[in-house]
Amino acid sequence: MTVATEPEQGRRKSSFSTLLFSILRTIGTIAVTMLGLLFVTFVIGRVMPIDPVISVVGERASKETYEAAYRAMGLDQPIIVQFFYYIGDILKGDFGQSLLNARPVAEDIRRVFPATLELATLGTFIGVIIGVPLGVLAAVRRGSWIDQIARLVALIGYSMPIFWLGLVGLLIFYGILGWVGGPGRVGIFYVDIVPSVTGMILVDSLLDANWTVFKDAMSHIILPASLLGYYSLAYISRMTRSFMLEQLSSEYVTTARVKGLPEWTVIWRHAFRNIKVQLITVIALSYAGLLEGSVLTEIIFAWPGIGSYITTALLSADMNAVLGGTVVIGLVFVCLNVFSDQLYKFFDPRAK
């Protein structure tokens, strides 16, 4: 039986302490960030020129009814007490009730968020599988016609309003050519055909082995996902090109070429490997941006996601729904940042 020496025991204790400190620091960062987000959403809910009591009882309610609702909603309490009550409700997963349908906001968010998650995930996937190789190729062929086309594609993706591209896409590919499905997630005849397991229609239809619904859902999602993917592609390809240009001008790349290594080895195994950590940040930010910024796309394509949900709630002065959706989007940003931090350590041992 091998007995660990004192130096080995010391190293184990040191490693455990480092791991524990890292976990506690991550939890603390998440807690502080979420507390700041909750404070911002709470302030927004209070400074909006909307009376939440009027939204509940109506403008013709009597003074007694108004005051009773005012007290029942806790608005007679000091502002700091209201904030702590707000935090307590959020920690319990209680975002209040929607004024539009009288259902819990948390229930509505569980229903609409998978649609946005599905759309943004497919859009990010399209952006990554096209944008990364395009950025690498543009950097390797700097100044060539390939580089010019890649830069033009990125410029158009940055400058073209996505709502305009969506309308043109619907007109051409749906209205004229009939290559894709129209607005919505599925055709009207396929609504509620497959059981909802994940809330993502593509995944649920695959789990149910219903290929007809899967094909119809794919025809509906491919156009909005491609538009979001193009927006993501423009950002990812531009950043990939910039990162690769920096690496290709480094001395270690020149040394590798002088040694006679194949060009693909120099590009992919040396230069590209050193930009993986930077690309993680770019892709995570792009993904988070699509989750949060797909509002116009969801509205144009009648996509029942959290973006259109928050927009409808805002136009209807349903602040519980607006603030609940805002908190969820903020939580997604925080989780993606934490996840990318863990990937740093996987791809770059120096970050451990």
Side-chain angles (χ1 to χ4, degrees), residues 245-255:
L245 286 175
E246 181 181 356
Q247 295 300 320
L248 291 174
S249 61
S250 301
E251 293 182 359
Y252 76 92
V253 171
T254 304
T255 303

Side-chain angles (χ1 to χ4, degrees), residues 142-215:
R142 182 180 184 181
S144 67
W145 63 271
I146 297 178
D147 184 24
Q148 299 300 327
I149 291 177
R151 295 170 67 181
L152 178 63
V153 167
L155 179 61
I156 294 175
Y158 270 111
S159 58
M160 285 290 184
I162 196 167
F163 69 88
W164 183 82
L165 289 177
L167 292 174
V168 172
L170 276 175
L171 175 63
I172 297 176
F173 298 105
Y174 170 64
I176 298 177
L177 300 177
W179 289 356
V180 299
R185 300 180 75 186
V186 290
I188 190 172
F189 299 107
Y190 299 109
V191 176
D192 297 330
I193 293 295
V194 297
S196 180
V197 179
T198 65
M200 295 181 283
I201 189 65
L202 293 179
V203 177
D204 290 342
S205 58
L206 285 176
L207 293 176
D208 194 54
N210 194 323
W211 302 108
T212 302
V213 175
F214 177 81
K215 181 180 178 181

